[in-house]
Amino acid sequence: MRKDDRGLTPQGSTLVDDVVNDTAAMSPANPSSGEPGPSAGDMTATPASQPDGPAATGSAPVMPAPPGQAARVDSPAPPGQAGPAGVNAAGPADGRPADGKPADEPAAADADARASVGFGSSGRVARMAADTREPSWGRVLATTISLWVSRRLPRIGTGRRTAGPSHGEPAAGSRGLGTRRWRVVALVLAAAVLALVGLQVSGALINGGTSPRPAAQPTGGGTSSLSAAAAARDQAAAWVAQQVSNADIVACDAAVCSELQAYGLPAGRLLPLQPGASPFGADVIVASPSVRSEFGSQLTEEYAPALIASFGSGAARVDVRAIASLGGAAYRAAEPADLAARKAAGAQLLHNPRFHATAQAASQMTAGQVDSRLLVTLASLVSQRSISVASFGGTGPGAPVLYRQVTLGSPGGEVADLTADLDQVRTQRNPYLPANAIIVHLGAQAQLRIEFGAPSLPGLLSGGNSS
């Protein structure tokens, strides 16, 4: 069997040529057979094992050789057979053994035995396993380095030793040469092992000896988009946790629901959205990109037409919308009437002599930008005592302006009047019970802050509720 041009063995085979070369160079001839040792180019193989007793032909048993010496026999060779041969001994000048038979014409029985066996790493004959696994690249590299060393040893003065004059003893000068040879071999093999370990650690031998392809790194735009989506989701969750009414149910996808729970919303107030399920049953829906993709235009046309807050932009945008329980068509039909009712209620309060407001606040009231619940609460308070509106606030970012918070001052500067107003708003019932009502101090001046939760409830002033 031949090795291929690269010095690598096909799957399930061994390096026959090079092992034969090395075996012929390093092994003594069989003294009992009378045949010379195989030369470097000889492709024949010796039997796989020798019997423990003397050979059937009566040849003398072979004594194992000590390290560094050739094998010796206990008795002289019979007439007509070759004597002990040294490591590098050769046959007659014509290349034939003593019996006159050509070296390349083995007996038929030997040919059959050799045809069914192959050489192992030790130089002895062994049966080749047909199911041998393909060697790893590390093993192939180590074998290649070993062959390279064995072929180049003669070039650096570490070739095969010549047998001594008697009993196969090596010449005196060859001992030092052998020592130097093994030192060189040890150094070369150590360097090869270090190189092999380095390649394994660096991953150069993974995937057939090629460096693994680096994982695709997200582009700057991709990283920016992911960060923008996460930021918008976090801002929306924080806003919902602070601004949405405490009794409202929030519909959300898995990621937003997890964020909302992190901000303190209990699981009982969350409605995780399932594919194909309707968001009806919730009061508010957090429309993340995945939710918008799931519902499409049906989200704004049918389920949640009212936008109450928006965060981010583009594909990363996250909207907070109010669910219209009666459907989008009913909500849109009632919206103009509700706006007109807010404008009329604001103008009526401005004409009350007990009601005072800054120019900006008055403008916002006449534009219908104040939540209906606030307008009803202000009308209730002004029926008891004089009030002064300092400002409106609490509208959702990125959504149509609709103020849900008011800051009141006492016209006479009396804290007792503000305390009475606070007690009054705290006794109201839903939907006119505010989410927050507290007296705050801005410098030396006390003020009452009243805030309702999102979303606003349409139809409270127009005689109907289309939510």
Side-chain angles (χ1 to χ4, degrees):
M1 185 170 185
R2 306 290 297 183
K3 60 184 174 64
D4 60 15
D5 295 337
R6 298 176 298 171
L8 304 180
T9 63
Q11 180 174 359
S13 50
T14 55
L15 295 172
V16 176
D17 290 348
D18 297 303
V19 176
V20 170
N21 292 341
D22 297 339
T23 306
M26 301 301 299
S27 301
N30 187 347
S32 64
S33 65
E35 294 183 359
S39 63
D42 192 3
M43 292 297 296
T44 62
T46 59
S49 61
Q50 297 291 344
D52 296 336
T57 58
S59 58
V62 181
M63 300 298 293
Q69 296 184 6
R72 66 175 63 182
V73 296
D74 293 340
S75 62
Q81 294 185 355
V87 174
N88 200 31
D94 58 357
R96 297 176 178 271
D99 58 2
K101 293 182 180 180
D104 55 352
E105 297 179 2
D110 294 339
D112 293 338
R114 284 191 292 268
S116 62
V117 296
F119 280 96
S121 59
S122 64
R124 291 183 178 273
V125 180
R127 293 188 178 273
M128 295 184 350
D131 57 347
T132 302
R133 293 174 125 190
E134 183 177 355
S136 65
W137 278 102
R139 192 183 195 113
V140 171
L141 180 59
T143 304
T144 304
I145 293 173
S146 175
L147 292 176
W148 182 90
V149 171
S150 66
R151 290 172 181 172
R152 283 158 179 76
L153 284 176
R155 300 183 184 179
I156 59 176
T158 59
R160 291 174 239 166
R161 294 176 293 174
T162 303
S166 63
H167 301 293
E169 291 286 347
S174 67
R175 296 179 180 175
L177 190 61
T179 301
R180 291 194 299 273
R181 176 188 65 180
W182 291 113
R183 288 178 181 174
V184 172
V185 171
L187 290 175
V188 172
L189 291 179
V193 170
L194 290 176
L196 180 61
V197 171
L199 289 173
Q200 289 282 9
V201 172
S202 64
L205 298 181
I206 300 176
N207 294 331
T210 58
S211 298
R213 182 178 298 177
Q217 297 294 331
T219 61
T223 303
S224 177
S225 298
L226 291 175
S227 300
R233 186 171 60 245
D234 182 75
Q235 292 170 3
W239 188 88
V240 169
Q242 295 173 2
Q243 299 293 325
V244 172
S245 298
N246 294 334
D248 286 353
I249 303 299
V250 181
C252 48
D253 63 16
V256 173
C257 284
S258 178
E259 292 269 2
L260 289 172
Q261 284 189 291
Y263 276 104
L265 263 71
R269 287 187 56 198
L270 302 178
L271 177 64
L273 293 171
Q274 303 297 329
S278 166
F280 284 140
D283 302 293
V284 172
I285 183 171
V286 181
S288 61
S290 63
V291 172
R292 292 200 306 273
S293 176
E294 170 71 21
F295 293 106
S297 61
Q298 199 175 21
L299 177 66
T300 57
E301 294 294 326
E302 181 178 352
Y303 297 129
L307 178 66
I308 57 178
S310 183
F311 303 89
S313 61
R317 188 181 80 255
V318 178
D319 296 333
V320 183
R321 292 182 168 273
I323 299 291
S325 59
L326 300 180
Y331 176 86
R332 283 185 291 270
E335 191 174 16
D338 194 66
L339 175 61
R342 292 197 304 270
K343 290 180 178 180
Q348 185 176 0
L349 282 171
L350 290 172
H351 285 88
N352 191 315
R354 292 184 178 181
F355 186 85
H356 306 277
T358 62
Q360 183 180 10
S363 175
Q364 293 167 345
M365 293 174 65
T366 56
Q369 296 177 337
V370 178
D371 188 285
S372 299
R373 293 169 294 179
L374 272 184
L375 294 172
V376 172
T377 299
L378 292 175
S380 174
L381 292 176
V382 79
S383 65
Q384 302 296 322
R385 66 193 62 84
S386 296
I387 62 173
S388 176
V389 175
S391 63
F392 290 107
T395 187
V401 177
L402 193 58
Y403 297 108
R404 296 175 289 101
Q405 181 191 92
V406 65
T407 301
L408 300 176
S410 174
E414 297 292 335
V415 177
D417 293 341
L418 296 179
T419 302
D421 292 340
L422 176 61
D423 293 338
Q424 181 176 343
V425 298
R426 283 179 173 175
T427 60
Q428 301 299 312
R429 295 182 179 180
N430 283 326
Y432 302 108
L433 178 64
N436 293 293
I438 188 173
I439 294 178
V440 296
H441 295 272
L442 300 177
Q445 187 178 7
Q447 292 181 326
L448 173 62
R449 182 166 295 166
I450 304 170
E451 182 177 14
F452 287 88
S456 298
L457 300 178
L460 295 178
L461 299 175
S462 58
N465 189 343
S466 61
S467 63

